[in-house]
Structures are given as C-alpha cells and as structure tokens.
Amino acid sequence: MDGNPDSKLMFIGEAPGFHEDKQGVPFVGAAGKLLDEMLASIGLDRTSCVICNVLKCRPPANRDPLADEIESCHPFLEAQIRFIAPHVIVTLGNFATRYVLKTKQGISSLRGRKYEAFGTMVIPTFHPAAVLHSGGASSPTMVSLLSDFQLISEAMKI
C-alpha cells in the first residue's frame, strides 16, 4: 500500500509487477508513472490517495492472478478497505474490477460509470498498463482513461 491512509480516494490494481515487487511499493514502474500523470491531470498526487493491489505478491512470470490467489489475498484487501474507509474506490483493470464489483463482466463494458460496493462509490477504469500496451497517449484507451479521471475528480468534489 502506498499513499495517504487518511485519504478518501483508493485505487486498487491487480498485483505487483517487477518494479513493484523489488521496491515493495505499488505502481512504481511505467504504469505507475502514467498513474501519477493521470492523478496530476486532476490536481492530485500520491499523497491525495491510497494505492494498493488485489494480490499482495507478484504472480510467477507476471501471469494473470489465479482464483485461489485472489481468495488467499482478499482478507488483506478487505481489511485495507475497512481501515481506509474511502469515499471513492477506483478499480484499475479487469481483475480489480471483477473482484470489487463481484462480476464476470470486463472493464470495457463497466468503465465510465459509478457503482457501489463495500458501502462506497466504485469507479472502474482501465489499468494504466492497458494504455501503454494499446498505443499510449493517442490510443482510444487513453481517451477513456482521461474521461474516467474526470469522473473521479467530479466524484471527489461531492
């Protein structure tokens, strides 16, 4: 977990990547740099939020998380959510969104809207790594991410 535990904004990603595993801090690689830029685009930074992952350790070969791994880690994530008691949870990508919203739907069909889970507002959006893998700043995924961050900004002003 990284950021301000007194914040009312929580970002939940999938699992630590290579750099995150080495440093013990979520979102410090290229995806983290993009997340920092997106936060700055709405006047925030890491001290304005909390950032964590569904899985607390990196899956072998950075593969997708398995159901039993998510099951093993969920008590820790749920304890983090209870401790932080955010007003807004932003799920980054499919795994975090499917876990938090208890759905099998994918991020493409869920993003851009507000939901409720854990007694708080949830805003799903693309994982920053998806933007990097889909063409970067000029990709449609980036346009969607920018739109979702405007939704996050509006939700935080409530």
Side-chain angles (χ1 to χ4, degrees):
M1 189 165 77
D2 187 32
N4 180 352
D6 295 322
S7 174
K8 296 304 173 192
L9 175 61
M10 178 181 244
F11 287 85
I12 302 174
E14 177 182 310
F18 175 80
H19 297 286
E20 291 79 4
D21 195 42
K22 294 289 183 201
Q23 295 181 38
V25 177
F27 287 88
V28 293
K33 183 178 180 210
L34 179 56
L35 179 59
D36 290 344
E37 291 171 11
M38 297 308 303
L39 285 167
S41 78
I42 58 171
L44 300 175
D45 61 25
R46 286 178 181 251
T47 65
S48 310
C49 63
V50 170
I51 306 168
C52 62
N53 285 305
V54 173
L55 293 192
K56 305 309 178 190
C57 55
R58 184 174 187 234
N62 207 32
R63 63 160 164 69
D64 289 344
L66 302 176
D68 65 329
E69 293 168 332
I70 294 170
E71 181 65 26
S72 294
C73 291
H74 93 269
F76 301 103
L77 176 60
E78 291 184 16
Q80 288 174 316
I81 293 169
R82 282 191 309 276
F83 176 75
I84 301 300
H87 292 168
V88 177
I89 294 173
V90 179
T91 55
L92 300 168
N94 276 320
F95 287 94
T97 300
R98 288 176 177 157
Y99 175 76
V100 170
L101 295 180
K102 307 295 185 221
T103 184
K104 293 187 186 285
Q105 284 186 273
I107 188 65
S108 295
S109 64
L110 295 169
R111 61 142 301 273
R113 294 186 298 272
K114 300 174 196 170
Y115 301 86
E116 186 174 326
F118 296 99
T120 193
M121 181 188 308
V122 177
I123 300 174
T125 191
F126 290 113
H127 193 289
V131 173
L132 299 174
H133 296 305
S134 69
S138 62
S139 71
T141 307
M142 182 64 170
V143 173
S144 296
L145 190 64
L146 286 165
S147 173
D148 292 344
F149 266 75
Q150 288 307 310
L151 186 61
I152 295 163
S153 178
E154 292 165 14
M156 291 304 296
K157 292 176 184 169
I158 294 173

